[in-house]
Amino acid sequence: MTVSEAIRRRRSIRRYQAGIVIPREEICQMLEAAMMAPSACNTRPWEFIVVEDKARREELAKVHPYCSFAPAASLVIVVCGLPERQEATGGWEFWPQDCGAAIENLLLEAYALGYGTCWCGVYPNPERVRALQELLGITSTPLAAVAVGAPAESPAARGFFDERKVRFL
Amino acid sequence: MTVSEAIRRRRSIRRYQAGIVIPREEICQMLEAAMMAPSACNTRPWEFIVVEDKARREELAKVHPYCSFAPAASLVIVVCGLPERQEATGGWEFWPQDCGAAIENLLLEAYALGYGTCWCGVYPNPERVRALQELLGITSTPLAAVAVGAPAESPAARGFFDERKVRFL
C-alpha cells in the first residue's frame, strides 16, 4: 500500500465485524507509527491507552456521544496529550497538533494493515475529557478515542483538492 | 513507497539544495494529500498559502526564530486554521488537531515525491501568528510553516516504539 493510496482511500469506519481480535504485534505497529510523528522540539507529548476490555468500551460508548460503535470495534486506542512535556517549546501548547499528526499516522498504518478506524474527538470538550479520565483512571488529557477493527462497510473514497483553499504567493 | 516506510523513514530536513523548482502539479499533490485528512464533522477547517516568492520567504525567516532555512527551501506552505468553520462541532476547537493530521499527510506525500520538509510551529504563539498574518495578508490563523525542497542532508531514521507510553486495559 503506497502512502498516496492510503491517504486518498482511507475512510472513517463506523461498522465493524464482530469477534475480531487484533494481535498485540499489530497493535504495537500502529502505536509505533503514531510515535514516529514529528512533534514540537521532539517532545513526544503523548501516551496511548489501548482499551481491549469490552466492558470499558461499552462505558465509553455511554459517555461519548459519537462513539456508539466502540463496543463493536476490536479495540479503542485513546490518544492522550502530555502538555507538561512541552516546557521545551517555551510553554506553548503545540501538543494537540502534535497528537493530530500521531493519530493520522496511526490511522494510515491501521489502514495498511487492513483495519478500519474512526477518530472520535475528545479534547477540548471538557465533559468528554473528564469522563474519559475517570473511565480510564488517567491524569493525562484524552484528545481522541480511535476505534480500530475489521471493517463491516466499505465507503467509497471521498475528499478532494479544493483550489479555493489555496493561494500562491 | 509504502505507508509504513514513509512514516518510519521521514525526518525533518533543514538543509536544502539550491535552485530546485517544484512543479505546480506536485505542489497540488501535496495539498491534495493534506486535504484528504479527516476533520471534525468533516469541516475541513484549513487553507494553504504556498510561498514561492523568495523575498517573502526571507521575511518569514526573520520573523520566525526556527525557520532560517525558509529561503533555501524551494517553497514554504503555511497551513492556516479556520476556526469559524467548526460551528458544526458545537463550537469546540478541534481545528489545531485537524490541521496537525493534514500536515502529517502533506509531509508524507512530499517524502514519497522525494522532497524534504520541516514543520515549523506557529500557532498558538501569538507573536508568530501576528507576524505571519501581516506578512501574508491573511485573516485565518497560521498554524505552521512547512518548508519543502530537495534535501541536502540525509539524517538517519529516528524515533522508536516506547512501551512506557502504552497501557493496555
Side-chain angles (χ1 to χ4, degrees):
Chain A
M1 170 91 57
T2 73
V3 65
S4 285
E5 286 167 350
I7 286 171
R8 285 167 176 75
R9 291 186 194 162
R10 183 208 161 265
R11 287 290 309 273
S12 295
I13 296 297
R14 295 182 174 83
R15 292 170 61 88
Y16 294 94
Q17 294 171 40
I20 303 291
V21 175
I22 302 180
R24 194 60 67 99
E25 188 189 334
E26 290 185 336
I27 300 170
C28 291
Q29 270 181 259
M30 297 177 213
L31 297 174
E32 182 179 66
M35 293 183 202
M36 297 302 284
S39 60
C41 303
N42 197 30
T43 46
R44 302 163 66 95
W46 44 56
E47 67 175 19
F48 305 88
I49 314 296
V50 182
V51 188
E52 295 178 302
D53 178 57
K54 191 164 183 181
R56 294 227 206 201
R57 285 186 282 120
E58 283 166 354
E59 288 301 311
L60 199 157
K62 285 180 197 160
V63 299
H64 191 300
Y66 305 112
C67 218
S68 59
F69 41 78
S74 298
L75 52 87
V76 172
I77 298 176
V78 180
V79 179
C80 302
L82 301 170
E84 69 279 11
R85 286 288 174 92
Q86 295 214 309
E87 281 180 19
T89 69
W92 300 112
E93 296 206 1
F94 291 107
W95 65 271
Q97 42 190 292
D98 292 343
C99 287
I103 293 168
E104 183 64 11
N105 276 1
L106 194 167
L107 304 184
L108 293 173
E109 183 85 13
Y111 185 71
L113 287 167
Y115 297 110
T117 48
C118 192
W119 173 348
C120 306
V122 177
Y123 176 90
N125 181 312
E127 287 171 27
R128 294 184 208 165
V129 168
R130 272 194 301 272
L132 265 73
Q133 283 177 327
E134 277 179 31
L135 177 63
L136 305 173
I138 57 173
T139 55
S140 58
T141 306
L143 182 98
V146 180
V148 187
E153 61 179 350
S154 49
R158 79 167 176 182
F160 55 94
F161 176 77
D162 183 351
E163 63 181 2
R164 295 167 302 173
K165 289 182 170 292
V166 182
R167 192 150 59 96
F168 288 86
L169 290 179
Chain B
M1 170 91 55
T2 72
V3 65
S4 286
E5 286 168 349
I7 286 171
R8 285 167 176 76
R9 291 186 191 162
R10 184 208 160 263
R11 288 290 307 275
S12 295
I13 296 296
R14 295 182 174 83
R15 293 171 60 88
Y16 294 95
Q17 294 171 40
I20 304 291
V21 175
I22 303 180
R24 194 58 69 97
E25 189 189 333
E26 290 185 338
I27 298 171
C28 290
Q29 269 180 261
M30 298 178 212
L31 296 174
E32 182 180 66
M35 293 182 201
M36 299 301 284
S39 60
C41 302
N42 197 30
T43 45
R44 303 164 63 97
W46 42 58
E47 66 175 21
F48 305 87
I49 315 295
V50 182
V51 188
E52 295 178 302
D53 177 57
K54 191 164 184 182
R56 294 228 206 199
R57 285 186 281 120
E58 282 166 355
E59 287 302 311
L60 199 158
K62 286 180 196 160
V63 300
H64 192 300
Y66 305 112
C67 218
S68 59
F69 41 79
S74 299
L75 52 86
V76 172
I77 299 176
V78 179
V79 179
C80 302
L82 301 170
E84 70 277 12
R85 286 288 174 91
Q86 296 213 309
E87 280 181 20
T89 69
W92 300 114
E93 296 205 1
F94 292 108
W95 65 270
Q97 43 190 292
D98 292 343
C99 288
I103 294 169
E104 184 63 10
N105 276 2
L106 195 166
L107 304 184
L108 293 173
E109 183 85 12
Y111 185 72
L113 287 167
Y115 296 110
T117 48
C118 192
W119 173 347
C120 306
V122 177
Y123 176 90
N125 181 312
E127 287 171 27
R128 293 184 208 165
V129 168
R130 273 194 301 272
L132 264 73
Q133 283 177 327
E134 277 179 31
L135 179 62
L136 306 174
I138 56 173
T139 54
S140 57
T141 306
L143 181 99
V146 179
V148 186
E153 62 179 348
S154 49
R158 80 167 177 183
F160 54 94
F161 176 77
D162 184 349
E163 64 180 2
R164 294 166 304 174
K165 289 182 172 292
V166 183
R167 193 150 58 95
F168 289 85
L169 290 179

